Amino acid sequence: MEADSVNWDTIMELLPVGEGDDYEERVKEMFELFNVNDQKGLTVFEIENGVVDMTQTGDMFDSEKAINDSFSHASRLKWEKEKSMMDKLDYTQFKLFLRILRMTYNFYEAFNYIDSDGVHVITRDIFCEDATKKVLERWLGPREDWAEEFDSIDMTNKKGDGNVLFREFFDWALNKNIEFQGDMGVNQ
């Protein structure tokens, strides 16, 4: 599904990002609103219901994959968890989840495709467009040669020369994002 029919500004406005008291207050409010069972952590179902209700994206596009992927990555980055928290995100992980989800939506917008099944193909040309590079630099940091970066992505499931699956790109980008912006202290 093409992403240009989605009002991304409205969605991004609802997903807090940044630092400071206002950011912390907004994230805490979301965490409490989504925490319908009053537990120490949020399940993927609580988060999915909360995000879809809050952003009103249910009728626009299927955000389940983006939410599940973001949840999975934020959960996996925490090394030690209590047994009761194995399938939940604590507050710090939730903050990381929000950053990853926002990044995912930005990539959907940049590549003009909502990848609900992970098989969308990204070409080197689109990857290296100025508008795309601007989004990439925001989340991954500046690079001297984006074509070289594209070539460094694991292309084991390559669909042809100069192409990479969105799934491969996203896994690569997530690692670059953690290197660039850190893990928000999920292991402290």
Side-chain angles (χ1 to χ4, degrees):
M1 172 183 168
E2 291 189 358
D4 58 359
S5 62
V6 176
N7 184 349
W8 292 106
D9 291 337
T10 301
I11 294 169
M12 295 305 169
E13 219 173 88
L14 295 170
L15 297 174
V17 68
E19 298 175 359
D21 292 341
D22 183 51
Y23 165 73
E24 289 292 334
E25 192 174 300
R26 288 184 65 202
V27 173
K28 185 175 181 182
E29 181 181 351
M30 284 178 70
F31 189 87
E32 290 171 357
L33 283 172
F34 293 2
N35 194 355
V36 295
N37 295 315
D38 200 27
Q39 300 291 314
K40 290 190 332 186
L42 299 174
T43 67
V44 69
F45 305 109
E46 290 171 321
I47 291 174
E48 184 177 347
N49 288 335
V51 169
V52 170
D53 287 349
M54 184 183 71
T55 61
Q56 299 294 302
T57 54
D59 294 335
M60 287 187 272
F61 68 94
D62 182 7
S63 58
E64 182 179 350
K65 180 162 181 40
I67 292 169
N68 283 326
D69 286 350
S70 300
F71 182 95
S72 175
H73 287 296
S75 179
R76 200 172 347 156
L77 288 170
K78 181 119 181 174
W79 300 322
E80 295 179 17
K81 286 183 159 188
E82 296 175 21
K83 187 174 183 172
S84 65
M85 292 293 290
M86 293 306 279
D87 296 328
K88 298 177 183 175
L89 299 183
D90 63 24
Y91 178 75
T92 307
Q93 289 173 291
F94 180 66
K95 289 177 14 178
L96 182 59
F97 161 84
L98 289 172
R99 185 178 86 198
I100 295 169
L101 182 64
R102 191 179 175 101
M103 180 177 72
T104 304
Y105 287 165
N106 276 169
F107 291 155
Y108 284 176
E109 184 178 18
F111 294 117
N112 191 28
Y113 193 81
I114 297 172
D115 195 43
S116 58
D117 51 14
V119 296
H120 179 67
V121 175
I122 299 168
T123 66
R124 177 183 282 112
D125 292 341
I126 291 173
F127 186 87
C128 294
E129 287 178 353
D130 288 341
T132 305
K133 289 191 289 189
K134 184 177 177 183
V135 172
L136 294 172
E137 287 181 357
R138 174 177 181 213
W139 293 105
L140 312 178
R143 301 288 193 276
E144 288 189 30
D145 187 352
W146 282 102
E148 186 177 304
E149 292 292 326
F150 182 88
D151 292 338
S152 75
I153 299 171
D154 178 21
M155 295 195 278
T156 55
N157 295 321
K158 195 160 58 167
K159 296 288 185 190
D161 292 335
N163 298 321
V164 65
L165 294 175
F166 182 84
R167 166 93 264 134
E168 295 168 328
F169 158 76
F170 185 76
D171 289 342
W172 171 85
L174 181 68
N175 289 325
K176 296 295 182 184
N177 174 260
I178 298 300
E179 287 174 14
F180 179 60
Q181 294 184 326
D183 68 2
M184 300 185 86
V186 297
N187 290 303
Q188 294 177 352

